[in-house]
Amino acid sequence: MPTIPMGAPALLWIALLLFSPDGMSAAIWKSKVSLNPPWRKILKGDAVTLTCGTNGSSEDQSSLWIHNGTSFTTNNSRWHIVKARMQDSGEYQCRIKGFAISEPVYLNVISDWLIIQASAEVMMEGESLFLRCHSWKNLNVFKVIYYKDNKALKYWYENHNISITNVTEGNSGIYYCVGRIQRLPYISNKLKIIVKKPYPQSNYFWLQFLIPLLVVILFAVDTGLLISTQQQFTLLLKMKRTRKRNRFTDPQPKPDPPGN
Ligand SMILES: *[C@@H]1O[C@H](CO)[C@@H](O)[C@H](O)[C@H]1NC(C)=O
Ligand SMILES: *[C@@H]1O[C@H](CO)[C@@H](O)[C@H](O)[C@H]1NC(C)=O
Ligand SMILES: *[C@@H]1O[C@H](CO)[C@@H](O)[C@H](O)[C@H]1NC(C)=O
Ligand SMILES: *[C@@H]1O[C@H](CO)[C@@H](O)[C@H](O)[C@H]1NC(C)=O
Ligand SMILES: *[C@@H]1O[C@H](CO)[C@@H](O)[C@H](O)[C@H]1NC(C)=O
């Protein structure tokens, strides 16, 4: 009976459906590079600690670090950069034993007087954003103005950070700051901030219903195919039997006798 040959493709489909959605299981087992402080752009001489973690655990473990394609094995999940140099820029990846390699994180060391730093450059609505107008060697900055899309956003005589809780799409834009260091005016780099609406969540929401539905449909189609094949098969057997009865001189080899 053709039960197994017909069932196999459906099982394959179910397996594919269950394991395909964006590698959900793979994401859980990935290592992750995080920066503390979180700035991706820093000035020469700044300090930053890179930590290799996994989803769930962050205790010290030996890990592999990859900077610009060159790998280093360490017995520590942290990489301390005490005084950033230009060559500390570039792509960082890490891997904790037993976990997949992390996504790359880019660190950019800039030689300048004033820089605008953000806790994240791409974020989801509802997260919080922290902006900092940072000077070389933390020299005092006065008459600080933060700009967003070329419009003045905030002014302070002394330097302050900006904290926006619960960002919306309206917070997307190009930010920079200006200020005076030792009486001379300086202007920072321009930083693009993108705030996205959380579409992926709604996708997963629908996938929850879509996958079981597809499985049910596949089973129904499969069972339907099985029944119709069985019917065709018995029809074929009947036809052959009647033909055999009519033509005894048939030279073709006989098919296997049916088991009933
Ligand atoms: C693991 O990651 C997922 C998605 O990124 C998150 O929802 C979950 O809270 C994380 N689990 C832990 C233990 O951090
Ligand atoms: C790494 O291991 C070496 C010896 O193998 C040890 O001297 C050193 O203190 C360890 N470093 C950390 C941060 O655990
Ligand atoms: C890593 O790459 C960045 C950007 O390409 C470069 O500025 C930096 O000097 C490189 N560092 C090393 C150690 O290769
Ligand atoms: C801004 O934030 C940085 C980093 O968290 C902190 O070191 C600094 O003191 C803050 N500056 C002001 C003026 O609040
Ligand atoms: C964030 O903003 C949204 C839309 O303005 C609002 O519905 C939500 O309650 C806010 N959440 C918090 C924690 O303030």
Side-chain angles (χ1 to χ4, degrees):
M1 278 294 120
T3 322
I4 292 158
M6 285 309 297
L11 283 174
L12 203 73
W13 269 107
I14 293 159
L16 279 174
L17 279 168
L18 288 181
F19 295 108
S20 65
D22 216 9
M24 268 166 85
S25 49
I28 293 163
W29 301 106
K30 253 187 191 175
S31 311
K32 188 172 185 280
V33 175
S34 45
L35 302 178
N36 184 22
W39 330 121
R40 301 284 175 98
K41 290 185 175 70
I42 59 173
L43 289 175
K44 235 166 92 176
D46 285 348
V48 60
T49 300
L50 292 86
T51 304
C52 189
T54 57
N55 188 298
S57 74
S58 64
E59 72 263 30
D60 277 20
Q61 294 172 70
S62 67
S63 41
L64 176 81
W65 285 95
I66 303 169
H67 178 212
N68 287 359
T70 310
S71 49
F72 306 88
T73 323
T74 64
N75 56 359
N76 196 318
S77 60
R78 278 172 242 278
W79 178 325
H80 299 284
I81 295 173
V82 181
K83 274 191 169 187
R85 302 158 303 165
M86 303 304 280
Q87 59 263 41
D88 292 321
S89 291
E91 186 190 86
Y92 288 86
Q93 276 178 294
C94 78
R95 193 164 77 88
I96 283 183
K97 217 174 173 180
F99 292 86
I101 194 156
S102 73
E103 294 291 326
V105 163
Y106 298 90
L107 184 69
N108 198 351
V109 183
I110 296 164
S111 174
D112 210 335
W113 287 86
L114 204 58
I115 193 179
I116 191 162
Q117 297 176 310
S119 52
E121 291 170 27
V122 178
M123 49 184 21
M124 288 292 167
E125 280 200 330
E127 293 181 348
S128 51
L129 172 65
F130 193 74
L131 294 170
R132 181 190 187 202
C133 192
H134 171 52
S135 57
W136 183 55
K137 290 183 171 173
N138 281 321
L139 291 167
N140 284 330
V141 195
F142 296 102
K143 295 188 177 173
V144 177
I145 309 173
Y146 283 87
Y147 285 88
K148 174 180 180 271
D149 298 324
N150 290 323
K151 276 193 208 137
L153 189 67
K154 294 269 187 191
Y155 167 85
W156 282 290
Y157 180 72
E158 285 185 326
N159 196 6
H160 282 282
N161 300 315
I162 291 184
S163 168
I164 305 168
T165 50
N166 200 6
V167 291
T168 62
E169 269 185 318
N171 294 117
S172 297
I174 292 170
Y175 290 79
Y176 66 95
C177 66
V178 302
R180 287 178 170 267
I181 301 168
Q182 293 164 353
R183 299 195 183 168
L184 291 173
Y186 291 99
I187 178 163
S188 80
N189 58 314
K190 293 187 175 177
L191 189 66
K192 189 174 185 176
I193 306 277
I194 301 166
V195 180
K196 291 179 179 172
K197 280 202 178 290
Y199 287 121
Q201 256 176 18
S202 56
N203 275 349
Y204 282 125
F205 179 76
W206 283 110
L207 274 177
Q208 282 173 8
F209 295 99
L210 201 63
I211 291 170
L213 191 71
L214 277 172
V215 170
V216 168
I217 291 171
L218 277 169
F219 265 122
V221 169
D222 189 38
T223 316
L225 276 172
L226 178 65
I227 289 165
S228 75
T229 326
Q230 266 177 323
Q231 279 172 350
Q232 280 173 12
F233 193 59
T234 32
L235 201 72
L236 208 75
L237 285 177
K238 266 186 205 160
M239 275 163 65
K240 285 207 174 148
R241 239 179 272 153
T242 40
R243 225 198 292 169
K244 232 194 289 176
R245 228 175 277 144
N246 293 348
R247 299 177 59 190
F248 286 101
T249 51
D250 198 334
Q252 279 170 4
K254 287 178 190 174
D256 287 345
N260 51 344

